Amino acid sequence: MSLSVVIVAGLHADARRTAVARLLADVPGSVVLHHDLETAPAGTVVRTVRDATGLLAAGEAPLVNDCACCALREDLVPELRRLAQDGRTRLAVVELWDSVEPKAMAEVVTAGGLTVTGVVTAVDPALVLPYLGNGDDLAERGLAAAATDQRTVADTFARQLEYATVLAVADSPEADDEDRELLSQLHPTARQVPIADSRPRDGAEGPSDAGRADGANGVNAANAADGAAGGRPPAALARAALAGFDVEAAAAAQHPACALLPAEADAHGVATFVWRRHRPFHPERLYAALEDVTCAAARSRGRFWLADRPDTLLHWDAAGGALCVESAGPWLAALPDAAWDMIPPVRRAAAALDWHPEHGDRCQHLVFTSPGLDRDGLARLLESCLLTDAEYAAGRDAWKRLPPAFDTLLEV
């Protein structure tokens, strides 16, 4: 029997534990592997393995380079291989500790020769906006995974949410239509599965799961979950978690150059505003407007270009009132033709969608999602940061002489 691995992540710990319990109950022969990083200050990470009946095994993994998350990486694959060799486990649910992000773990597991059939992030809809707006450092909340961990609650939650292909949604009495709409607009392509009611009525397939049985790893959900819950049709969460997961596609969907960004939307008081232009930003004017642009939405992301850095693709990533701007390498148009053969097809396809006769794939593609979003005001602010007609007409040599306002931010 081959071992399937499902990764369950999420800062919403109660929702995460409920989702894990649901998977254990619905898939016979399943166990959950969890590394508790809360014990890291004492120098170790506690590992537990349990099934639906209780604790099966416990052990400790020493810190690696004073990093609890590094210890998790070193210990995870050997433990999964042990479960696979034992032959009695059909599904290993890897329940990540609160602030651990699923992307790194999915890539570690896959690189270790194991099959990840699903990545699930558990969420409480009523907590989405509070967490997305929380700019506290993880260290302040006792959630840092290493002494050097400088992440915030907001940016960590955003990455956990947006990487997963399945969202296990808690039944939250406090959640309203705005909360649920915000969740849907933040990650419109994810399959949302209610945790509390994950068994299909009359064995019917949910519309979002239909046709998704065969995953990119060649795993068939019907085979993987065959006989789940005593031969009844597999519960919706188990079906979604076993449907297959493509690590390379997931990484591409998060890469700044070809990220699958949300489209325009407006419902229940929540809006997603997509702003696309081909004219470059004036570095000083954009820098002066950064705080206003960052705080205009609960979440914003995308790619952009500055007039003084015409060949550099810049990544915009904002949540919790904090902005991260970093270089994501060159635009394709800045590369010699010979280099294009080494570029992945997904990157070339994304560039083709934004291609401009003069600038190639250089563009502003920023997406803002928030309740109460002032689209018109935000559009005016962004437009005011572009080069004027006169500045644009001066040409690239003149652009490169503009004051390099972003040097400090980009640590040049």
Side-chain angles (χ1 to χ4, degrees), residues 178-193:
E178 181 180 283
D179 296 324
R180 287 183 279 270
E181 181 64 27
L182 177 59
L183 181 60
S184 295
Q185 290 191 28
L186 287 169
H187 195 351
T189 62
R191 281 169 285 176
Q192 291 191 28
V193 182

Side-chain angles (χ1 to χ4, degrees), residues 4 39 56 68 78 85 111 121 189 215 229-230 320 385:
S4 297
T39 58
L56 298 176
Q85 291 166 1
T121 292
T189 62
C385 297

Side-chain angles (χ1 to χ4, degrees), residues 221-292:
N223 292 335
D226 182 43
R232 296 191 301 274
L237 182 57
R239 191 170 65 247
L242 291 163
F245 185 80
D246 187 330
V247 171
E248 291 186 4
Q254 299 299 308
H255 192 282
C258 45
L260 190 61
L261 298 171
E264 289 267 351
D266 191 351
H268 300 295
V270 181
T272 294
F273 171 55
V274 179
W275 189 77
R276 303 175 82 152
R277 295 291 185 274
H278 282 283
R279 184 173 293 201
F281 280 123
H282 186 287
E284 278 190 319
R285 288 200 294 275
L286 179 61
Y287 190 84
L290 283 182
E291 183 175 354
D292 289 338

Side-chain angles (χ1 to χ4, degrees), residues 206-222:
S208 60
D209 296 312
R212 304 296 286 269
D214 292 316
N217 291 319
V219 177
N220 185 281

Side-chain angles (χ1 to χ4, degrees), residues 124-127 170-177 179-180 196:
D124 180 337
L127 298 178
D171 182 13
S172 176
E174 293 81 15
D176 57 21
D177 288 343
D179 296 324
R180 287 183 279 270

Side-chain angles (χ1 to χ4, degrees), residues 45-380:
V45 170
V46 174
R47 176 208 324 116
T48 56
V49 180
R50 54 189 171 83
D51 64 10
T53 66
L55 185 66
L56 298 176
E60 292 185 348
L63 295 191
V64 176
N65 299 323
D66 198 32
C67 171
C69 208
C70 300
L72 191 167
R73 289 190 186 96
E74 293 289 325
D75 192 65
L76 181 59
V77 169
E79 282 300 307
L80 290 172
R81 284 179 176 160
R82 182 183 63 78
L83 289 171
Q85 291 166 1
D86 181 74
R88 292 177 295 179
T89 303
R90 73 183 317 165
L91 171 65
V93 179
V94 177
E95 181 192 354
L96 299 181
W97 189 69
D98 300 51
S99 68
V100 178
E101 296 181 25
K103 181 177 185 293
M105 295 304 114
E107 291 172 353
V108 164
V109 172
T110 302
L114 295 148
T115 301
V116 176
T117 64
V119 174
V120 178
T121 292
V123 294
D124 180 337
L127 298 178
V128 171
L129 187 58
Y131 273 65
L132 203 57
N134 190 331
D136 292 349
D137 291 337
L138 291 175
E140 296 173 19
R141 301 282 298 271
L143 296 172
T148 56
D149 195 342
Q150 297 182 334
R151 295 174 298 155
T152 68
V153 172
D155 62 44
T156 302
F157 174 67
R159 284 191 292 270
Q160 288 180 339
L161 182 73
E162 292 158 11
Y163 180 77
T165 54
V166 178
L167 300 181
V169 184
D171 182 13
S172 176
E174 293 81 15
D176 57 21
D177 288 343
E178 181 180 283
D179 296 324
R180 287 183 279 270
E181 181 64 27
L182 177 59
L183 181 60
S184 295
Q185 290 191 28
L186 287 169
H187 195 351
T189 62
R191 281 169 285 176
Q192 291 191 28
V193 182
I195 301 172
D197 185 25
S198 66
R199 183 159 302 287
R201 293 174 178 81
D202 301 322
E205 284 278 334
S208 60
D209 296 312
R212 304 296 286 269
D214 292 316
N217 291 319
V219 177
N220 185 281
N223 292 335
D226 182 43
R232 296 191 301 274
L237 182 57
R239 191 170 65 247
L242 291 163
F245 185 80
D246 187 330
V247 171
E248 291 186 4
Q254 299 299 308
H255 192 282
C258 45
L260 190 61
L261 298 171
E264 289 267 351
D266 191 351
H268 300 295
V270 181
T272 294
F273 171 55
V274 179
W275 189 77
R276 303 175 82 152
R277 295 291 185 274
H278 282 283
R279 184 173 293 201
F281 280 123
H282 186 287
E284 278 190 319
R285 288 200 294 275
L286 179 61
Y287 190 84
L290 283 182
E291 183 175 354
D292 289 338
V293 177
T294 299
C295 295
R299 177 77 172 124
S300 56
R301 47 196 145 147
R303 49 190 176 268
F304 69 103
W305 69 305
L306 295 171
D308 64 321
R309 298 169 177 269
D311 293 336
T312 304
L313 189 160
L314 295 169
H315 181 208
W316 177 287
D317 187 51
L323 170 67
C324 175
V325 170
E326 58 186 359
S327 168
W331 295 100
L332 286 197
L335 295 175
D337 292 345
W340 279 53
D341 291 338
M342 297 180 288
I343 302 299
V346 66
R347 171 77 189 275
R348 294 200 298 269
L353 291 174
D354 283 324
W355 201 261
H356 183 274
E358 182 180 356
H359 304 308
D361 58 327
R362 299 176 181 90
C363 69
Q364 321 294 2
H365 186 174
L366 300 176
V367 177
F368 301 82
T369 300
S370 188
L373 188 67
D374 179 6
R375 293 170 182 253
D376 293 340
L378 181 55
R380 287 193 297 272

